[in-house]
Each structure stands twice: as structure tokens, then as C-alpha cells.
Amino acid sequence: CHAVDKKMVGPSYKDVAAKYAGQKDAVDKLATKIIKGGSGVWGPVPMPANAQVAEADAKKLAAWVMAQK
């Protein structure tokens, strides 16, 4: 659903990193969205929940996304 540098179904990871840049709680916010899913931030297509992902893993992934500049 995502690619590093281009929009697919969802935004690129670079666009996500840019949107949340400077937010101290960005990793926690993104980790929550990875686990619980979300909608409305990037348009009408919802991001499905990934409840099987452990919180620690979601935070690692979110930190990686935030490093994509």
C-alpha cells in the first residue's frame, strides 16, 4: 500500500515523514496508526488495522518511516 518515494494506495513514506516532521510524538502516533489503522488523514481510503504487530515493532517501523526524508 505504501512505497518509499511515491504514492500508491497510501502516501509515500517520505510524505508521511514530511507531514509528521518536528512532532515530538510522531513515532508514537504512527505506531498507533500502524496497529489500530486510521482514516481521513490522507483522503478517503482507510488504512486497515495491523493488530498482530507488537507495539515495539510498530515503533521501530514508525521510526524507520520518520527517517525517510
Side-chain angles (χ1 to χ4, degrees), residues 35-64:
I35 295 169
K36 295 184 178 181
S39 64
V41 176
W42 296 94
V45 179
M47 179 172 153
N50 293 283
Q52 76 281 6
V53 176
E55 183 177 355
D57 291 336
K59 286 185 178 187
K60 286 180 190 175
L61 180 56
W64 180 85

Side-chain angles (χ1 to χ4, degrees), residues 5 24-25 30 32 41 45 56 61 66 69:
D5 59 357
K24 293 181 183 191
D25 61 345
L30 292 176
T32 298
V41 176
V45 179
L61 180 56
M66 290 304 298
K69 298 177 181 171

